[in-house]
Amino acid sequence: MLFHLVKKDLILAKKYLLVMLIFAVVAPIFFYSKLRFSNGSFASFLITVLFMEYILFNMVSMQEDKYGGSALLCTTPYTRNGVIKAKYLYVLVIFIGCFLLYNLATAIGSSIGLARLNTYSVGIALLIISVFFGILIPIQTKFGYEKTKYIFFILIFLTPFILPAIIEWYQSTNFNINFSLSLPQTVKVWMPFVISILIGLISMIISIRIFSKKNL
């Protein structure tokens, strides 16, 4: 049933899907060409995936809010738990899609230096996405799309300006957060994925509790 709900979200966003697919390939090349520091590939991917996730997620939220989609879904065999779980699965599906298209972008933009990401960098990007949507989805579930859209829109809009500056500042200093955990390197590499899943699960449980008590 989750698959059908995710498919429903993709159909709701299909009007903009082709543009977003092109954006997912072109944007990393564009952002990288504008960034003049090492690790620009990671920043380009992260900015692109944040934009993609936010636009496509809110596209669906806006239409559901406009036509009362959540209330209608709850009159069908789909449970409230399923509706919330599908939102998190939808975010994960978009992330995977962005990652696959980013690899296509690296093939096109390799001449300017755009490079493939290693497993750890992908995990860090997923972790940041998990934190962002781990906060956004419960808040949006509680207060609705209209009341929350401006706050997160401003955050996303400022990302291309703030994030590169933060990364550049970080690289220009000798400040280094080094956790000397006595763990195998393989575990350290996959740890961001594990933390991302935990954040997603905690956020999903909170959203389910909020939605289960919500008067639709």
Side-chain angles (χ1 to χ4, degrees):
M1 295 186 94
L2 286 180
F3 170 76
H4 292 100
L5 288 170
V6 173
K7 185 179 177 182
K8 179 266 299 176
D9 288 344
L10 291 172
I11 291 173
L12 286 176
K14 69 176 182 181
K15 185 177 179 182
Y16 305 92
L17 212 50
L18 179 60
V19 176
M20 288 291 99
L21 291 176
I22 297 172
F23 176 82
V25 177
V26 174
I29 300 171
F30 173 77
F31 287 131
Y32 185 84
S33 67
K34 299 298 179 185
L35 301 175
R36 300 297 179 187
F37 54 84
S38 60
N39 211 15
S41 295
F42 169 74
S44 302
F45 173 69
L46 181 58
I47 293 170
T48 302
V49 76
L50 262 174
F51 266 93
M52 283 279 294
E53 294 269 20
Y54 184 77
I55 291 172
L56 290 176
F57 183 82
N58 275 281
M59 197 63 64
V60 174
S61 298
M62 180 181 68
Q63 296 195 49
E64 287 189 343
D65 182 75
K66 184 177 180 181
Y67 298 107
S70 296
L72 291 174
L73 276 176
C74 291
T75 62
T76 67
Y78 295 109
T79 64
R80 292 195 178 203
N81 286 8
V83 172
I84 293 297
K85 289 176 181 175
K87 290 179 182 290
Y88 287 84
L89 184 58
Y90 178 62
V91 171
L92 181 61
V93 167
I94 296 173
F95 182 88
I96 294 171
C98 286
F99 173 68
L100 295 176
L101 290 170
Y102 174 79
N103 289 321
L104 175 60
T106 58
I108 299 171
S110 59
S111 59
I112 62 170
L114 188 67
R116 289 177 180 269
L117 301 176
N118 57 36
T119 305
Y120 183 76
S121 295
V122 177
I124 292 296
L126 181 61
L127 179 58
I128 294 172
I129 293 296
S130 298
V131 171
F132 183 83
F133 282 91
I135 296 172
L136 185 151
I137 296 177
I139 292 177
Q140 196 177 87
T141 304
K142 175 71 176 179
F143 299 104
Y145 167 75
E146 283 296 329
K147 292 181 179 177
T148 57
K149 65 179 181 182
Y150 295 110
I151 300 172
F152 290 95
F153 174 77
I154 292 171
L155 289 175
I156 290 295
F157 180 77
L158 293 176
T159 299
F161 305 99
I162 295 176
L163 185 63
I166 292 174
I167 294 176
E168 193 171 15
W169 167 81
Y170 176 77
Q171 291 178 338
S172 65
T173 66
N174 293 322
F175 181 73
N176 185 26
I177 301 175
N178 187 14
F179 297 100
S180 56
L181 299 175
S182 58
L183 296 172
Q185 184 62 28
T186 305
V187 176
K188 290 182 180 178
V189 168
W190 288 98
M191 187 170 287
F193 290 95
V194 176
I195 298 173
S196 301
I197 292 171
L198 289 176
I199 291 173
L201 287 174
I202 293 170
S203 174
M204 187 168 64
I205 291 170
I206 294 171
S207 296
I208 286 173
R209 288 184 178 179
I210 293 171
F211 196 55
S212 65
K213 297 176 182 176
K214 194 167 185 178
N215 185 10
L216 300 175

